[in-house]
Amino acid sequence: MNPTLVFFIIILCSTSISICLADNDNLQDACPTNTTVTRMVFINGFPCKNPSSISSADFTTSNLKHAGDTDNFLHSSVNIVTAADFPGLNTLGLSIARTDLDLDGMVMPHSHPRASELFFVHKGIVLAGFIDTNNTLFESLINEGDVFLFPRGLLHFCMNAGYEPAIAFSVMNSQNPGVVSIGGAVFETDKLLIDKIVRRLISVRGTNMANFSKIHIQ
């Protein structure tokens, strides 16, 4: 086979793989999502608005302004805003989120297969952590103004470690990070790890953890 043709095929394949594995680079200043068009062709992203119809409203959102509903078993709420909800994010490889944690609230371990996450505590005290592929737990007690990093694809969690509701905001490096939730049954195989998380939170909060004890896997 012609060496030049072989080289061209290798370059083409490697480029195609990189495009599939990451958000596409933006080829223009902005490409807000066209939310009015019916999608007939499914692409890696969303169709763009006509440049002549782009406005400042495409780059503004109030979706994270209000607290989420924490009246549930975990006493927590997570609201992720992607390019589907915030047009200006389209093709920029970004999404944002708000996490509300009521007293003793917890976001159970989950992962984002397409994004790393910067987790910024706006109010309260939060115990945040992640578990790497060696089953090692990395966790930290973070206060208002602190930032914790959840690496892409790794299981992570957060818990309210204070005595008042906590609020956190996140930025993720994908316009559609995805969420993989892990059921409690999966963690039956590693009760020692869960016990370690529980003991750490109890050491921070003391023994007044009646609500959290319901979440702990027996």
Side-chain angles (χ1 to χ4, degrees), residues 132-210:
D132 71 5
T133 54
N134 292 318
N135 221 27
T136 301
L137 172 65
F138 296 87
E139 48 82 20
S140 182
L141 192 66
I142 51 179
N143 299 279
E144 293 180 12
D146 291 340
V147 176
F148 193 82
L149 171 65
F150 300 128
R152 173 179 173 174
L154 296 185
L155 290 174
H156 57 277
F157 63 91
C158 61
M159 309 172 186
N160 188 343
Y163 294 93
E164 62 178 354
I167 303 171
F169 294 96
S170 299
V171 176
M172 289 167 276
N173 64 335
S174 172
Q175 73 176 46
N176 185 22
V179 179
V180 178
S181 298
I182 307 299
V186 175
F187 282 84
E188 289 290 346
T189 60
D190 201 343
K191 293 178 63 177
L192 291 178
L193 183 59
I194 295 298
D195 287 341
K196 183 176 181 181
I197 297 174
V198 173
R199 287 196 299 270
R200 170 60 170 152
L201 188 56
I202 290 176
S203 71
V204 173
R205 287 288 310 279
T207 57
N208 186 20
M209 297 290 295

Side-chain angles (χ1 to χ4, degrees), residues 67-173:
D69 182 10
T70 58
D71 185 16
N72 52 64
F73 179 70
L74 295 176
H75 289 239
S76 65
S77 171
V78 179
N79 179 22
I80 300 177
V81 178
T82 68
D85 312 296
F86 187 2
L89 292 176
N90 195 33
T91 75
L92 297 182
L94 295 171
S95 57
I96 54 178
R98 171 174 175 152
T99 301
D100 290 281
L101 298 167
D102 206 349
L103 191 63
D104 294 343
M106 175 184 184
V107 175
M108 290 292 284
H110 63 284
S111 67
H112 303 294
R114 293 181 291 275
S116 297
E117 178 179 354
L118 286 173
F119 184 82
F120 168 77
V121 175
H122 173 69
K123 176 185 177 182
I125 303 174
V126 176
L127 179 67
F130 65 88
I131 304 162
D132 71 5
T133 54
N134 292 318
N135 221 27
T136 301
L137 172 65
F138 296 87
E139 48 82 20
S140 182
L141 192 66
I142 51 179
N143 299 279
E144 293 180 12
D146 291 340
V147 176
F148 193 82
L149 171 65
F150 300 128
R152 173 179 173 174
L154 296 185
L155 290 174
H156 57 277
F157 63 91
C158 61
M159 309 172 186
N160 188 343
Y163 294 93
E164 62 178 354
I167 303 171
F169 294 96
S170 299
V171 176
M172 289 167 276
N173 64 335

